[in-house]
Amino acid sequence: MSAAIVAEGLRKAYGPLIAVDGISFEVRTNEVFGVVGPNGAGKTTTIECLEGLRHPDGGRLSILGLDPRCDGRGLRERIGVQLQASSLPDDIRVGEALGLFASFYGKPADWRPLLGALGLAEKRDAAFAKLSGGQKQRLFIALALVNDPELVFLDELTTGLDPHARRAMWDLVRSIRDRGKTIFLTTHYMEEAEALCDRVLVIDRGRIVALGTPEELIRGLGESTRIVFTAEEGYDPSPLGSVPGVARVERDGARVVVNGKGDRLVVLVVNALDATGARFRDLRTERPDLEDVFLALTREGKGGPG
């Protein structure tokens, strides 16, 4: 499969602060490629360098075979961008915005079918200020697709949306990929990355700490079981860390999470609880997910610039 994006040794610093520290990766054509990381890990700086909005200090970039530093105009005709923070004048109407953005391109697509595809047909004459949060996000996606791009950048697409609107956005992302587009997605939501992305890059303090499919990353965690229960006030779960097979024990309020592996792990944990007379309820087992991977890989990270 060919590469839509190639980054080799990408580096960007702001004075003494290194936002992106020599990272290398490829994005394959027609995949949803996700980037996750703590605040300040370098996600936004990375995507802005790929889009040509920032000039890196070092490394090589190839976006659809073009260098964004010297082929900016040609690249903009072939990519679509939904920025993390976007807005439009309150009074501009949906159809007016699409017509305006289409005029920026040499060969724009017919934007009218986008209205129906993105559920905005009835909002064509509505002012931007009258749209809901989900409708505004769909409009920004429509604006990113108005030139029929080969590669679409989606930066924190669903931040601030309610669960119903977020799931609707996920369906839109899948439909965009099904139309043959390549998608580069940054997100703070691990559930979103696991649900949408073919591969996920985990970045922390400007460096890559993991890259693979969600399933590969979860398998690499080496924790096949997660035991969750609610404990009484004052209970100290730290002794569970000495139970054979337990890798990590965490407490968040009354909720205790025991991560580990082994065929008898659940039995051993319950026996340990019983032996100490601990009172607990709602005990259940769960499959580890991408959030567990994220927490394990970035546990010591405190973030960096950008």
Side-chain angles (χ1 to χ4, degrees):
M1 186 178 292
S2 60
I5 296 175
V6 178
E8 296 179 350
L10 177 63
R11 185 180 187 277
K12 179 65 180 178
Y14 302 99
L17 302 177
I18 300 175
V20 182
D21 193 7
I23 64 175
S24 300
F25 61 91
E26 291 188 359
V27 177
R28 301 164 186 159
T29 300
N30 196 214
E31 76 170 333
V32 180
F33 186 88
V35 177
V36 301
N39 289 331
K43 303 186 300 297
T44 296
T45 297
T46 297
I47 197 171
E48 288 178 348
C49 288
L50 299 177
E51 294 165 347
L53 299 177
R54 292 189 186 275
H55 292 289
D57 300 322
R60 184 182 78 87
L61 290 177
S62 174
I63 316 299
L64 302 176
L66 302 176
D67 185 337
R69 287 171 290 193
C70 54
D71 299 316
R73 169 167 283 188
L75 183 61
R76 285 191 290 274
E77 291 285 336
R78 300 172 62 189
I79 67 172
V81 176
Q82 174 266 325
L83 298 173
Q84 181 176 348
S86 302
S87 190
L88 289 168
D90 286 346
D91 293 337
I92 194 169
R93 300 185 184 279
V94 169
E96 293 172 339
L98 285 162
L100 174 64
F101 274 63
S103 70
F104 298 155
Y105 299 99
K107 296 180 179 180
D110 183 357
W111 54 264
R112 286 167 293 188
L114 286 174
L115 291 172
L118 297 178
L120 293 172
E122 296 181 358
K123 298 296 180 179
R124 175 171 177 166
D125 296 321
F128 177 75
K130 299 297 184 181
L131 302 179
S132 68
Q135 290 166 345
K136 288 178 180 178
Q137 287 291 61
R138 290 201 293 273
L139 175 57
F140 291 133
I141 293 176
L143 296 176
L145 297 175
V146 76
N147 59 324
D148 194 23
E150 301 165 51
L151 170 62
V152 183
F153 292 95
L154 303 175
D155 193 6
E156 303 293 351
L157 175 67
T158 62
T159 297
L161 296 185
D162 64 54
H164 291 293
R166 181 174 295 124
R167 293 304 176 102
M169 289 298 106
W170 293 4
D171 289 340
L172 284 177
V173 171
R174 294 185 183 105
S175 70
I176 293 169
R177 195 266 305 275
D178 290 345
R179 293 168 58 189
K181 312 299 183 184
T182 303
I183 299 172
F184 189 100
L185 171 75
T186 69
T187 180
H188 274 106
Y189 300 112
M190 297 306 109
E191 180 189 10
E192 181 166 282
E194 187 171 348
L196 293 178
C197 298
D198 298 298
R199 292 188 299 145
V200 177
L201 181 152
V202 185
I203 186 171
D204 189 21
R205 289 177 285 184
R207 296 182 178 180
I208 294 173
V209 295
L211 172 60
T213 67
E215 293 78 13
E216 289 170 344
L217 296 179
I218 293 169
R219 247 189 342 261
L221 191 61
E223 298 174 357
S224 58
T225 304
R226 181 169 60 192
I227 303 168
V228 182
F229 61 89
T230 301
E232 63 183 353
E233 185 178 353
Y235 170 70
D236 178 13
S238 58
L240 293 177
S242 61
V243 173
V246 171
R248 190 170 77 250
V249 180
E250 301 170 327
R251 179 164 188 169
D252 182 8
R255 183 174 184 264
V256 178
V257 181
V258 181
N259 296 279
K261 55 185 176 180
D263 294 338
R264 290 180 48 81
L265 181 66
V266 176
V267 173
L268 294 174
V269 168
V270 171
N271 286 344
L273 289 167
D274 184 60
T276 61
R279 299 179 63 181
F280 62 92
R281 65 182 189 277
D282 303 329
L283 187 143
R284 64 189 184 278
T285 60
E286 297 179 352
R287 171 183 175 270
D289 56 23
L290 200 58
E291 184 167 334
D292 296 298
V293 175
F294 178 83
L295 291 173
L297 292 175
T298 63
R299 184 173 307 280
E300 301 302 325
K302 297 180 181 178

PDB file of all heavy atoms in Angstrom, residues 47-67:
ATOM      1  N   ILE A  47       0.649  18.039  13.314  1.00  0.00           N
ATOM      2  CA  ILE A  47      -0.352  18.142  12.258  1.00  0.00           C
ATOM      3  C   ILE A  47      -0.212  19.471  11.512  1.00  0.00           C
ATOM      4  O   ILE A  47      -0.395  19.537  10.292  1.00  0.00           O
ATOM      5  CB  ILE A  47      -1.779  17.949  12.833  1.00  0.00           C
ATOM      6  CG1 ILE A  47      -2.773  17.646  11.709  1.00  0.00           C
ATOM      7  CG2 ILE A  47      -2.246  19.143  13.619  1.00  0.00           C
ATOM      8  CD1 ILE A  47      -4.147  17.244  12.217  1.00  0.00           C
ATOM      9  N   GLU A  48       0.158  20.533  12.201  1.00  0.00           N
ATOM     10  CA  GLU A  48       0.330  21.832  11.536  1.00  0.00           C
ATOM     11  C   GLU A  48       1.541  21.821  10.607  1.00  0.00           C
ATOM     12  O   GLU A  48       1.522  22.475   9.560  1.00  0.00           O
ATOM     13  CB  GLU A  48       0.440  22.933  12.574  1.00  0.00           C
ATOM     14  CG  GLU A  48      -0.891  23.236  13.276  1.00  0.00           C
ATOM     15  CD  GLU A  48      -0.781  24.305  14.347  1.00  0.00           C
ATOM     16  OE1 GLU A  48       0.356  24.669  14.723  1.00  0.00           O
ATOM     17  OE2 GLU A  48      -1.836  24.765  14.826  1.00  0.00           O
ATOM     18  N   CYS A  49       2.586  21.079  10.943  1.00  0.00           N
ATOM     19  CA  CYS A  49       3.723  20.935  10.029  1.00  0.00           C
ATOM     20  C   CYS A  49       3.310  20.153   8.783  1.00  0.00           C
ATOM     21  O   CYS A  49       3.696  20.503   7.656  1.00  0.00           O
ATOM     22  CB  CYS A  49       4.885  20.232  10.732  1.00  0.00           C
ATOM     23  SG  CYS A  49       5.750  21.216  11.982  1.00  0.00           S
ATOM     24  N   LEU A  50       2.522  19.099   8.962  1.00  0.00           N
ATOM     25  CA  LEU A  50       2.076  18.297   7.829  1.00  0.00           C
ATOM     26  C   LEU A  50       1.169  19.109   6.909  1.00  0.00           C
ATOM     27  O   LEU A  50       1.206  18.945   5.682  1.00  0.00           O
ATOM     28  CB  LEU A  50       1.336  17.059   8.323  1.00  0.00           C
ATOM     29  CG  LEU A  50       2.122  16.075   9.198  1.00  0.00           C
ATOM     30  CD1 LEU A  50       1.212  14.943   9.669  1.00  0.00           C
ATOM     31  CD2 LEU A  50       3.325  15.521   8.462  1.00  0.00           C
ATOM     32  N   GLU A  51       0.355  19.976   7.491  1.00  0.00           N
ATOM     33  CA  GLU A  51      -0.579  20.788   6.697  1.00  0.00           C
ATOM     34  C   GLU A  51       0.108  21.968   6.030  1.00  0.00           C
ATOM     35  O   GLU A  51      -0.500  22.631   5.190  1.00  0.00           O
ATOM     36  CB  GLU A  51      -1.692  21.314   7.603  1.00  0.00           C
ATOM     37  CG  GLU A  51      -2.595  20.228   8.162  1.00  0.00           C
ATOM     38  CD  GLU A  51      -3.434  20.722   9.326  1.00  0.00           C
ATOM     39  OE1 GLU A  51      -3.144  21.817   9.866  1.00  0.00           O
ATOM     40  OE2 GLU A  51      -4.375  20.015   9.720  1.00  0.00           O
ATOM     41  N   GLY A  52       1.347  22.248   6.410  1.00  0.00           N
ATOM     42  CA  GLY A  52       2.053  23.398   5.862  1.00  0.00           C
ATOM     43  C   GLY A  52       1.786  24.689   6.603  1.00  0.00           C
ATOM     44  O   GLY A  52       2.178  25.764   6.143  1.00  0.00           O
ATOM     45  N   LEU A  53       1.126  24.610   7.770  1.00  0.00           N
ATOM     46  CA  LEU A  53       0.838  25.805   8.560  1.00  0.00           C
ATOM     47  C   LEU A  53       2.040  26.247   9.392  1.00  0.00           C
ATOM     48  O   LEU A  53       2.120  27.398   9.802  1.00  0.00           O
ATOM     49  CB  LEU A  53      -0.367  25.557   9.474  1.00  0.00           C
ATOM     50  CG  LEU A  53      -1.684  25.226   8.763  1.00  0.00           C
ATOM     51  CD1 LEU A  53      -2.776  24.935   9.782  1.00  0.00           C
ATOM     52  CD2 LEU A  53      -2.097  26.377   7.854  1.00  0.00           C
ATOM     53  N   ARG A  54       2.940  25.303   9.677  1.00  0.00           N
ATOM     54  CA  ARG A  54       4.191  25.624  10.371  1.00  0.00           C
ATOM     55  C   ARG A  54       5.350  25.012   9.605  1.00  0.00           C
ATOM     56  O   ARG A  54       5.208  23.955   8.995  1.00  0.00           O
ATOM     57  CB  ARG A  54       4.186  25.085  11.811  1.00  0.00           C
ATOM     58  CG  ARG A  54       3.197  25.777  12.720  1.00  0.00           C
ATOM     59  CD  ARG A  54       3.404  25.354  14.173  1.00  0.00           C
ATOM     60  NE  ARG A  54       2.378  25.908  15.042  1.00  0.00           N
ATOM     61  CZ  ARG A  54       2.427  27.112  15.579  1.00  0.00           C
ATOM     62  NH1 ARG A  54       3.479  27.895  15.342  1.00  0.00           N
ATOM     63  NH2 ARG A  54       1.444  27.546  16.360  1.00  0.00           N
ATOM     64  N   HIS A  55       6.490  25.669   9.667  1.00  0.00           N
ATOM     65  CA  HIS A  55       7.688  25.153   9.007  1.00  0.00           C
ATOM     66  C   HIS A  55       8.544  24.416  10.027  1.00  0.00           C
ATOM     67  O   HIS A  55       8.975  24.999  11.018  1.00  0.00           O
ATOM     68  CB  HIS A  55       8.494  26.285   8.370  1.00  0.00           C
ATOM     69  CG  HIS A  55       7.808  26.931   7.209  1.00  0.00           C
ATOM     70  ND1 HIS A  55       7.653  26.303   5.996  1.00  0.00           N
ATOM     71  CD2 HIS A  55       7.214  28.141   7.074  1.00  0.00           C
ATOM     72  CE1 HIS A  55       6.999  27.099   5.163  1.00  0.00           C
ATOM     73  NE2 HIS A  55       6.711  28.222   5.796  1.00  0.00           N
ATOM     74  N   PRO A  56       8.799  23.123   9.806  1.00  0.00           N
ATOM     75  CA  PRO A  56       9.634  22.380  10.751  1.00  0.00           C
ATOM     76  C   PRO A  56      11.073  22.880  10.717  1.00  0.00           C
ATOM     77  O   PRO A  56      11.522  23.470   9.730  1.00  0.00           O
ATOM     78  CB  PRO A  56       9.522  20.936  10.250  1.00  0.00           C
ATOM     79  CG  PRO A  56       9.137  21.050   8.817  1.00  0.00           C
ATOM     80  CD  PRO A  56       8.308  22.283   8.698  1.00  0.00           C
ATOM     81  N   ASP A  57      11.782  22.620  11.798  1.00  0.00           N
ATOM     82  CA  ASP A  57      13.189  23.014  11.885  1.00  0.00           C
ATOM     83  C   ASP A  57      14.111  21.959  11.290  1.00  0.00           C
ATOM     84  O   ASP A  57      15.290  22.248  11.019  1.00  0.00           O
ATOM     85  CB  ASP A  57      13.576  23.248  13.348  1.00  0.00           C
ATOM     86  CG  ASP A  57      12.748  24.348  13.988  1.00  0.00           C
ATOM     87  OD1 ASP A  57      12.465  25.342  13.306  1.00  0.00           O
ATOM     88  OD2 ASP A  57      12.373  24.208  15.169  1.00  0.00           O
ATOM     89  N   GLY A  58      13.617  20.757  11.126  1.00  0.00           N
ATOM     90  CA  GLY A  58      14.449  19.700  10.570  1.00  0.00           C
ATOM     91  C   GLY A  58      13.615  18.521  10.142  1.00  0.00           C
ATOM     92  O   GLY A  58      12.443  18.393  10.485  1.00  0.00           O
ATOM     93  N   GLY A  59      14.226  17.649   9.326  1.00  0.00           N
ATOM     94  CA  GLY A  59      13.540  16.460   8.844  1.00  0.00           C
ATOM     95  C   GLY A  59      12.990  16.628   7.446  1.00  0.00           C
ATOM     96  O   GLY A  59      13.097  17.692   6.830  1.00  0.00           O
ATOM     97  N   ARG A  60      12.383  15.563   6.957  1.00  0.00           N
ATOM     98  CA  ARG A  60      11.806  15.568   5.609  1.00  0.00           C
ATOM     99  C   ARG A  60      10.342  15.187   5.680  1.00  0.00           C
ATOM    100  O   ARG A  60       9.954  14.280   6.409  1.00  0.00           O
ATOM    101  CB  ARG A  60      12.553  14.560   4.717  1.00  0.00           C
ATOM    102  CG  ARG A  60      12.077  14.561   3.262  1.00  0.00           C
ATOM    103  CD  ARG A  60      12.813  13.517   2.457  1.00  0.00           C
ATOM    104  NE  ARG A  60      12.312  12.174   2.688  1.00  0.00           N
ATOM    105  CZ  ARG A  60      11.296  11.635   2.014  1.00  0.00           C
ATOM    106  NH1 ARG A  60      10.655  12.338   1.070  1.00  0.00           N
ATOM    107  NH2 ARG A  60      10.911  10.398   2.257  1.00  0.00           N
ATOM    108  N   LEU A  61       9.522  15.899   4.902  1.00  0.00           N
ATOM    109  CA  LEU A  61       8.096  15.617   4.816  1.00  0.00           C
ATOM    110  C   LEU A  61       7.693  15.405   3.369  1.00  0.00           C
ATOM    111  O   LEU A  61       8.106  16.153   2.479  1.00  0.00           O
ATOM    112  CB  LEU A  61       7.266  16.767   5.395  1.00  0.00           C
ATOM    113  CG  LEU A  61       7.307  17.002   6.901  1.00  0.00           C
ATOM    114  CD1 LEU A  61       6.485  18.231   7.258  1.00  0.00           C
ATOM    115  CD2 LEU A  61       6.790  15.785   7.645  1.00  0.00           C
ATOM    116  N   SER A  62       6.870  14.398   3.137  1.00  0.00           N
ATOM    117  CA  SER A  62       6.266  14.183   1.829  1.00  0.00           C
ATOM    118  C   SER A  62       4.781  13.942   2.046  1.00  0.00           C
ATOM    119  O   SER A  62       4.395  12.966   2.691  1.00  0.00           O
ATOM    120  CB  SER A  62       6.897  12.976   1.126  1.00  0.00           C
ATOM    121  OG  SER A  62       6.204  12.694  -0.084  1.00  0.00           O
ATOM    122  N   ILE A  63       3.956  14.861   1.552  1.00  0.00           N
ATOM    123  CA  ILE A  63       2.504  14.768   1.686  1.00  0.00           C
ATOM    124  C   ILE A  63       1.925  14.608   0.285  1.00  0.00           C
ATOM    125  O   ILE A  63       1.997  15.524  -0.534  1.00  0.00           O
ATOM    126  CB  ILE A  63       1.906  16.029   2.358  1.00  0.00           C
ATOM    127  CG1 ILE A  63       2.746  16.455   3.566  1.00  0.00           C
ATOM    128  CG2 ILE A  63       0.451  15.769   2.724  1.00  0.00           C
ATOM    129  CD1 ILE A  63       2.831  15.437   4.671  1.00  0.00           C
ATOM    130  N   LEU A  64       1.403  13.414  -0.005  1.00  0.00           N
ATOM    131  CA  LEU A  64       0.917  13.097  -1.351  1.00  0.00           C
ATOM    132  C   LEU A  64       2.003  13.354  -2.386  1.00  0.00           C
ATOM    133  O   LEU A  64       1.737  13.809  -3.500  1.00  0.00           O
ATOM    134  CB  LEU A  64      -0.345  13.917  -1.674  1.00  0.00           C
ATOM    135  CG  LEU A  64      -1.523  13.727  -0.720  1.00  0.00           C
ATOM    136  CD1 LEU A  64      -2.668  14.671  -1.090  1.00  0.00           C
ATOM    137  CD2 LEU A  64      -2.009  12.278  -0.721  1.00  0.00           C
ATOM    138  N   GLY A  65       3.245  13.077  -2.003  1.00  0.00           N
ATOM    139  CA  GLY A  65       4.379  13.253  -2.899  1.00  0.00           C
ATOM    140  C   GLY A  65       4.901  14.673  -2.978  1.00  0.00           C
ATOM    141  O   GLY A  65       5.836  14.942  -3.741  1.00  0.00           O
ATOM    142  N   LEU A  66       4.327  15.594  -2.216  1.00  0.00           N
ATOM    143  CA  LEU A  66       4.724  17.002  -2.253  1.00  0.00           C
ATOM    144  C   LEU A  66       5.372  17.417  -0.928  1.00  0.00           C
ATOM    145  O   LEU A  66       5.070  16.855   0.126  1.00  0.00           O
ATOM    146  CB  LEU A  66       3.511  17.895  -2.518  1.00  0.00           C
ATOM    147  CG  LEU A  66       2.730  17.636  -3.807  1.00  0.00           C
ATOM    148  CD1 LEU A  66       1.495  18.544  -3.863  1.00  0.00           C
ATOM    149  CD2 LEU A  66       3.610  17.868  -5.026  1.00  0.00           C
ATOM    150  N   ASP A  67       6.239  18.411  -0.998  1.00  0.00           N
ATOM    151  CA  ASP A  67       6.859  18.990   0.189  1.00  0.00           C
ATOM    152  C   ASP A  67       6.036  20.210   0.594  1.00  0.00           C
ATOM    153  O   ASP A  67       5.968  21.187  -0.165  1.00  0.00           O
ATOM    154  CB  ASP A  67       8.297  19.415  -0.112  1.00  0.00           C
ATOM    155  CG  ASP A  67       9.041  19.929   1.119  1.00  0.00           C
ATOM    156  OD1 ASP A  67       8.375  20.367   2.083  1.00  0.00           O
ATOM    157  OD2 ASP A  67      10.279  19.910   1.109  1.00  0.00           O
TER     158      ASP A  67
END
